[in-house]
Amino acid sequence: MDQPAHAPAARLSASGLLDPALWTGKVFTGRWHAPDAGVLEVREPATGLLLGTVGASSPEAVAATVLSAGRAQPEWARTPAEERARVMRRAAALFEEHRDTLIEWVIRETGGVRGKAETELAGTIGELYHSAALLIEPEGQVLPSAAPGRMSLARRVPLGLVSVITPWNFPMLLAMRSVAPALALGNAVLLKPDPQTPVTGGVVLARILAEAGVPEGVFSIVNGGAEVGEALVTAPDVRLVTFTGSTAVGRRVGRLAGEHLKKVSLELGGKSPIIVMDDADIEAASSAGAWGAFLHQGQICMASGRHIVHRDVADDYVAALAERAERLPVGDPFREEVALGPIINSRQLARVDTIVKDTVAAGAKLMAGGTCEGPYYAPTVLSDVARDMPAYDLEVFGPVAPVTVAEDEEHAIFLANDTDYGLSAAVYTSSLDRGLRMAARIRSGMIHINDQTIADLPGIPMGGMGVSGNGSRFGSTTNWDEFTEWQWMTVGSGQTAYPF
Ligand code: NAD
């Protein structure tokens, strides 16, 4: 707070890795150079302080970057798998080595608390090690042959160029979950981070991957908003677009990709239910509910966005959740010990407040929070939230827990499925049989019995049903399906006899 609002924040300059002299006001296309579309300012959401500037790209610059990626990719694909795996492991080690600098940047650029930054860094490193491990797996099959002496093979080949478009909430991790497997499997990657988080979502990856040995042109960054994003989607040589963001923008990206006949992976929004049944441990369930609703100010796609609670325990659950909400300290996560930091920007803050106010005006009860101060929104609990109220079905992306009463098991399942989204879900019950029975009837890409809705690991098939995505999955062996395509090859000595 001791710096003027226009001066780049000094402490972040400390690490050689992110020395601002290397990247300030520049773009990265295998090397750092001056931009053709001005610069983007990066501001700390908690204070408004300027953290730095990055170079912005024009759609024409995107086209040129795609061309140079196309020239660099074939040689990278021919690089022995073990060498590509070594590059991934070296990158993972560099993330570990620069841990303190990276954590500081994540806290300050995304407004997340230290624990969130540590989790994001650990996930990023995990993605790199998992991607290296993909390269010891088989990459094809020997198939039955139609002719004696002719061998029939199916093998996975890289797609070529992959565009990656990411949001601001977990910029480093959500970029790396696509960038690492795409590179490991022999593709070249063009990354567009959200304009609010281009350092941990872009500069960091560029610096570390180049240091680790990714050749020039194989990994590039383009900075900008919708126009630049669309240029990356429609560029003729791009074969796969992986997009993480809102369902509204995902629909647009999906339409453009379809028109240009590109493969597209869409990981979109959510309104994930946590169900609390009458036999649940209310202390444990309310703790999980608070974590699921308030972690990173609710700005997580898998946040527990609907709390569906059996009538017999609803009052107890709401009271326990409201008490937890009131205890949680909110403030600047870099300078204070807090549980919740700022909302990413003033537009989003106003949207959260409007949804809360409109839901209360429609008849819901405000049991905690509902107030904002500067960029901070207090953890909020709404009870008696009915199906026709805004907080029931809108993705809030803020620290708001709307509670809806379920009459019985059947009603709870109905309410859980009463959404177009289907990203994550959770069921609290002391009966595992009941939990399994209910989980089998809930339409959700991920589901947890006796836990909350936010969980991710590099080795799981991460993704959603309904309008939370288009059926794609990240992680584990699904990465082979996402980032390569099949080629059938037969090989023989050329002695097949034909009637012609
Ligand atoms: P957003 O859709 O506004 O932006 C995401 C990215 O798309 C940004 O980089 C943005 O610049 C870019 N973009 C915007 N318009 C574009 C266009 N027309 N063409 C191409 N790119 C374009 O999303 P957001 O507000 O940054 O993120 C919040 C949303 O992301 C929430 O809905 C959240 O649930 C979702 N999300 C989903 C996951 C998941 O894994 N399913 C993870 C994190 C966030």
Side-chain angles (χ1 to χ4, degrees), residues 165-170 174 177 192-196 224-231 233 243-250 252-253 256 266-270 299-302 348 395 397 421 423 446 462-464 468 474:
I165 301 176
T166 53
W168 46 264
N169 59 344
F170 281 73
L174 297 179
R177 75 176 178 181
K192 192 199 87 59
D194 188 279
Q196 294 164 109
E227 200 190 2
V228 171
E230 293 191 9
V233 176
F243 172 85
T244 305
S246 63
T247 293
V249 176
R252 166 93 186 138
V253 168
L256 284 174
L266 302 172
E267 292 300 337
L268 309 175
Q299 303 170 123
I300 299 181
C301 53
M302 298 168 284
Q348 181 56 16
E395 183 186 37
F397 234 55
Y421 292 109
L423 190 54
M446 301 172 273
M462 199 279 179
S468 291
F474 286 108

Side-chain angles (χ1 to χ4, degrees), residues 193-430:
D194 188 279
Q196 294 164 109
T197 50
V199 178
T200 57
V203 172
V204 165
L205 282 87
R207 287 285 297 130
I208 287 185
L209 290 170
E211 229 19 61
V214 172
E216 186 170 333
V218 172
F219 176 71
S220 306
I221 293 175
V222 298
N223 283 316
E227 200 190 2
V228 171
E230 293 191 9
L232 265 192
V233 176
T234 56
D237 294 337
V238 166
R239 294 308 305 149
L240 165 68
V241 179
T242 85
F243 172 85
T244 305
S246 63
T247 293
V249 176
R251 283 185 203 280
R252 166 93 186 138
V253 168
R255 260 199 306 275
L256 284 174
E259 201 178 307
H260 292 262
L261 299 180
K262 291 174 198 301
K263 190 174 172 184
V264 60
S265 295
L266 302 172
E267 292 300 337
L268 309 175
K271 187 69 177 169
S272 301
I274 176 167
I275 298 177
V276 181
M277 293 308 292
D278 49 347
D279 57 354
D281 173 340
I282 297 303
E283 273 313 291
S286 62
S287 168
W291 181 264
F294 305 138
L295 181 65
H296 197 35
Q297 299 81 263
Q299 303 170 123
I300 299 181
C301 53
M302 298 168 284
S304 305
R306 288 178 304 143
H307 299 236
I308 297 168
V309 186
H310 192 285
R311 178 170 295 287
D312 292 354
V313 293
D315 288 348
D316 291 350
Y317 180 80
V318 168
L321 191 61
E323 198 209 312
R324 288 178 191 280
E326 267 155 11
R327 280 209 310 256
L328 293 172
V330 182
D332 178 342
F334 182 58
R335 297 164 184 84
E336 300 163 48
E337 279 291 317
V338 291
L340 280 78
I343 301 293
I344 188 75
N345 60 44
S346 55
R347 192 169 37 86
Q348 181 56 16
L349 186 77
R351 183 176 178 274
V352 172
D353 196 41
T354 302
I355 293 174
V356 170
K357 289 205 164 77
D358 288 354
T359 303
V360 172
K365 291 193 192 121
L366 184 65
M367 307 303 290
T371 55
C372 49
E373 201 183 319
Y376 307 107
Y377 204 84
T380 297
V381 178
L382 296 168
S383 71
D384 298 273
V385 174
R387 292 181 69 206
D388 56 354
M389 298 180 185
Y392 178 82
D393 57 3
L394 291 178
E395 183 186 37
V396 181
F397 234 55
V400 179
V403 181
T404 301
V405 169
E407 300 302 332
D408 54 24
E409 185 175 316
E410 200 59 32
H411 189 213
I413 292 167
F414 167 79
L415 290 170
N417 287 329
D418 186 26
T419 172
D420 291 337
Y421 292 109
L423 190 54
S424 184
V427 182
Y428 259 86
T429 169
S430 57

Side-chain angles (χ1 to χ4, degrees), residues 2-325:
D2 49 347
Q3 300 164 49
H6 59 272
R11 265 198 61 182
L12 294 170
S13 321
S15 158
L17 175 82
L18 285 178
D19 181 352
L22 293 166
W23 55 269
T24 295
K26 296 184 185 154
V27 289
F28 179 81
T29 56
R31 59 201 167 76
W32 297 95
H33 57 88
D36 72 334
V39 295
L40 300 175
E41 290 188 341
V42 189
R43 291 196 175 269
E44 186 174 38
T47 59
L49 277 176
L50 186 68
L51 299 178
T53 61
V54 296
S57 317
S58 68
E60 295 70 40
V62 172
T65 307
V66 168
L67 281 181
S68 54
R71 284 193 292 272
Q73 185 269 334
E75 169 116 35
W76 174 243
R78 283 194 297 271
T79 304
E82 179 44 31
E83 175 53 24
R84 280 183 271 130
R86 238 195 315 271
V87 170
M88 296 296 120
R89 290 193 295 268
R90 270 201 296 265
L94 285 165
F95 272 94
E96 277 166 357
E97 188 184 320
H98 294 280
R99 182 186 167 79
D100 291 346
T101 306
L102 295 172
I103 284 177
E104 180 178 335
W105 262 105
V106 173
I107 294 171
R108 298 189 67 181
E109 193 183 39
T110 71
V113 299
R114 178 163 293 275
K116 179 264 182 191
E118 287 169 352
T119 303
E120 183 165 358
L121 180 62
T124 304
I125 293 168
E127 294 293 343
L128 283 158
Y129 282 126
H130 262 256
S131 297
L134 281 177
L135 298 171
I136 55 172
E137 291 174 8
E139 56 189 68
Q141 301 163 349
V142 180
L143 304 174
S145 174
R150 176 158 285 275
M151 188 180 277
S152 176
L153 305 164
R155 59 177 185 169
R156 306 230 190 213
V157 295
L159 291 155
L161 303 193
V162 175
S163 290
V164 178
I165 301 176
T166 53
W168 46 264
N169 59 344
F170 281 73
M172 200 161 76
L173 171 58
L174 297 179
M176 196 56 92
R177 75 176 178 181
S178 287
V179 169
L183 288 177
L185 294 172
N187 301 284
V189 175
L190 304 118
L191 169 66
K192 192 199 87 59
D194 188 279
Q196 294 164 109
T197 50
V199 178
T200 57
V203 172
V204 165
L205 282 87
R207 287 285 297 130
I208 287 185
L209 290 170
E211 229 19 61
V214 172
E216 186 170 333
V218 172
F219 176 71
S220 306
I221 293 175
V222 298
N223 283 316
E227 200 190 2
V228 171
E230 293 191 9
L232 265 192
V233 176
T234 56
D237 294 337
V238 166
R239 294 308 305 149
L240 165 68
V241 179
T242 85
F243 172 85
T244 305
S246 63
T247 293
V249 176
R251 283 185 203 280
R252 166 93 186 138
V253 168
R255 260 199 306 275
L256 284 174
E259 201 178 307
H260 292 262
L261 299 180
K262 291 174 198 301
K263 190 174 172 184
V264 60
S265 295
L266 302 172
E267 292 300 337
L268 309 175
K271 187 69 177 169
S272 301
I274 176 167
I275 298 177
V276 181
M277 293 308 292
D278 49 347
D279 57 354
D281 173 340
I282 297 303
E283 273 313 291
S286 62
S287 168
W291 181 264
F294 305 138
L295 181 65
H296 197 35
Q297 299 81 263
Q299 303 170 123
I300 299 181
C301 53
M302 298 168 284
S304 305
R306 288 178 304 143
H307 299 236
I308 297 168
V309 186
H310 192 285
R311 178 170 295 287
D312 292 354
V313 293
D315 288 348
D316 291 350
Y317 180 80
V318 168
L321 191 61
E323 198 209 312
R324 288 178 191 280

